[in-house]
Amino acid sequence: MRTHRIAAIPGDGIGKEVIAAGVKVLEVCAQQDGSFQLEFEHFDWGSDYYKAHGVMMPADGLATLKPFDAIYFGAVGAPDVPDHITLWGLRLAICQPFDQYANVRPTRILAGIQSPLRNVTAADLDWVIVRENSEGEYAGQGGRSHRGLPEEVATEVSIFTRAGVRRIMRFAFGVAQSRPRKLLTVVTKSNAQRNGMVMWDEIAAEVAREFPDVTWDKMLVDAMTVRMTMKPRSIDTVVATNLHADILSDLAAALAGSMGIAPTANLNPERAFPSMFEPIHGSAFDITGKGIANPIGSFWTAQMMLEHLGEHAAAARLMEAIEVVTANPAMHPPDLGGTATTLAVRDAVCEALRRQEKNGAGSSGGGEQVEVGA
Ligand code: IPM
Ligand code: MG
């Protein structure tokens, strides 16, 4: 039997609730598949750990994580700890040293979910956003001088390297090539940002020659928000910088119905380090502890993790079970306008998985699957 070792880091806020639900769903998924098992180790790192120890994770945290096959991550962020500390102390402290440079964010309108856009259905919106995840605006370069004085100055320098841009571009063209429409949109702001972004455009044109079967176009990021809203069907795969894609992926999640649904993979495509999988919604302190967080984002995230681990049949079954449940409005939590609880949704997905087993269904897959990772 194949064994995959997973480091679970629920982190802060609703991260704890949705990861607990996701672990349960993954266990049922593995049980029912029968050909692999998942070994979870849980880590209590995050803002509570910070308040007790002064750091978000222990000094040897990365060495501890390195041997795992994947990391299943909840969220970071607490009302009483500055956001840059929680982010740089845990999430980026894992993403950057583990060279998880490809952040993949699929967006679809799942069964039973409605887009806030008029007349837009599942057939109109099926995207994958590829976010550069190691440099750009999140490089951490810059500083502050003359603090507190009127002449105080702060710099936040974006870093774009030829190697960094080329590898994310190759990855994104590869994702586009793996999808039926073979269509990629390269997003920049190369009119105003005349150095790094112009290099992005040049490298895109170079890499495009390696993928002659992929059709590609370029968009400025501001115009891209209009296109996503007005012509969602014209888009398939998107590649953008760290910050631009951060913003576009929130818009994408909202247009697909809710932030509570959207998943992410932080991939090290070369597999030199474990990759990390997380729902994109964040810690959501306003609803923490109420038991109403939508766990669908963490389940879809788990599906991406199964794909990455090579468990394609189980991933397909999980996606199918997720959509059986989202199709039922009684199973919609408050972010989707319903009253379902996290545990009710979890149990419904587990039940849908078990029912597949009884019927021998599932292996044919649940709609289009996004193949991520090399
Ligand atoms: C995301 C989040 C993070 C980011 C936050 C929590 C810093 O918004 O994953 O999109 O900006 O990377
Ligand atoms: Mg974001």
Side-chain angles (χ1 to χ4, degrees):
M1 169 130 44
R2 297 183 295 280
T3 300
H4 306 294
R5 292 190 63 229
I6 314 289
I9 309 178
D12 300 339
I14 61 167
K16 295 191 174 81
E17 299 163 45
V18 299
I19 292 302
V23 166
K24 172 85 186 158
V25 161
L26 277 162
E27 275 168 351
V28 172
C29 209
Q31 244 166 37
Q32 163 226 43
D33 183 275
S35 63
F36 70 96
Q37 58 186 6
L38 299 172
E39 258 176 42
F40 288 95
E41 198 168 318
H42 295 264
F43 297 92
D44 62 350
W45 306 342
S47 296
D48 291 339
Y49 189 93
Y50 176 80
K51 286 174 210 161
H53 301 96
V55 285
M56 293 288 288
M57 69 173 174
D60 61 355
L62 287 175
T64 306
L65 292 177
K66 175 99 198 316
F68 283 89
D69 296 310
I71 303 166
Y72 190 38
F73 191 89
V76 281
D80 47 357
V81 183
D83 283 339
H84 65 275
I85 290 183
T86 54
L87 178 66
W88 283 93
L90 191 59
R91 189 171 165 277
L92 292 181
I94 297 170
C95 282
Q96 296 201 349
F98 280 177
D99 212 14
Q100 295 165 348
Y101 63 84
N103 182 291
V104 181
R105 303 188 158 189
T107 313
R108 285 198 291 124
I109 301 177
L110 300 186
I113 309 285
Q114 228 184 334
S115 169
L117 295 176
R118 240 180 308 132
N119 304 324
V120 166
T121 63
D124 303 305
L125 199 163
D126 182 356
W127 303 334
V128 179
I129 297 179
V130 175
R131 171 180 179 183
E132 200 296 315
N133 210 34
S134 66
E135 52 179 37
E137 309 86 345
Y138 282 56
Q141 293 275 335
R144 287 173 71 174
S145 306
H146 315 304
R147 277 185 191 247
L149 298 176
E151 62 270 31
E152 179 168 0
V153 53
T155 58
E156 194 71 51
V157 182
S158 298
I159 300 289
F160 300 102
T161 65
R162 177 164 281 277
V165 178
R166 193 180 0 219
R167 67 183 182 176
I168 197 65
M169 210 57 86
R170 283 210 173 107
F171 181 87
F173 269 93
V175 172
Q177 192 176 47
S178 74
R179 290 170 52 86
R181 293 173 68 196
K182 302 191 193 307
L183 180 63
L184 177 69
T185 300
V186 176
V187 174
T188 64
K189 186 67 188 174
S190 54
N191 53 350
Q193 297 178 306
R194 60 187 184 171
N195 301 300
M197 295 288 78
V198 173
M199 188 177 77
W200 263 70
D201 282 347
E202 288 169 11
I203 293 172
E206 286 166 27
V207 171
R209 282 182 227 123
E210 299 168 23
F211 296 84
D213 56 337
V214 174
T215 308
W216 71 288
D217 58 12
K218 291 191 291 188
M219 288 299 290
L220 298 175
V221 64
D222 48 348
M224 188 63 179
T225 62
V226 178
R227 179 165 163 192
M228 287 167 72
T229 311
M230 307 302 286
K231 291 188 177 168
R233 211 182 179 126
S234 73
I235 298 165
D236 187 79
T237 307
V238 177
V239 62
T241 70
N242 216 328
L243 181 63
H244 290 165
D246 174 43
I247 298 165
L248 294 181
S249 58
D250 267 25
L251 175 60
L255 296 179
S258 173
M259 285 291 290
I261 291 172
T264 293
N266 298 285
L267 299 178
N268 173 251
E270 290 74 27
R271 296 177 187 256
F273 301 95
S275 293
M276 182 157 84
F277 300 81
E278 56 172 338
I280 90 167
H281 51 60
S283 53
F285 263 81
D286 51 333
I287 59 162
T288 298
K290 294 187 176 160
I292 55 166
N294 188 346
I296 294 293
S298 70
F299 300 163
W300 192 349
T301 294
Q303 181 268 342
M304 294 183 84
M305 186 164 75
L306 289 172
E307 286 282 353
H308 182 74
L309 295 170
E311 300 299 348
H312 304 293
R317 285 169 159 240
L318 176 53
M319 203 64 215
E320 187 180 287
I322 288 170
E323 291 204 74
V324 164
V325 171
T326 58
N328 177 4
M331 282 299 135
H332 288 185
D335 61 300
L336 293 172
T339 56
T341 63
T342 309
L343 296 187
V345 178
R346 174 199 73 182
D347 292 346
V349 171
C350 291
E351 181 53 31
L353 284 165
R354 292 199 185 96
R355 235 180 289 131
Q356 285 172 347
E357 191 173 32
K358 247 186 271 157
N359 303 336
S363 48
S364 62
E368 282 165 51
Q369 300 300 311
V370 180
E371 183 72 58
V372 297

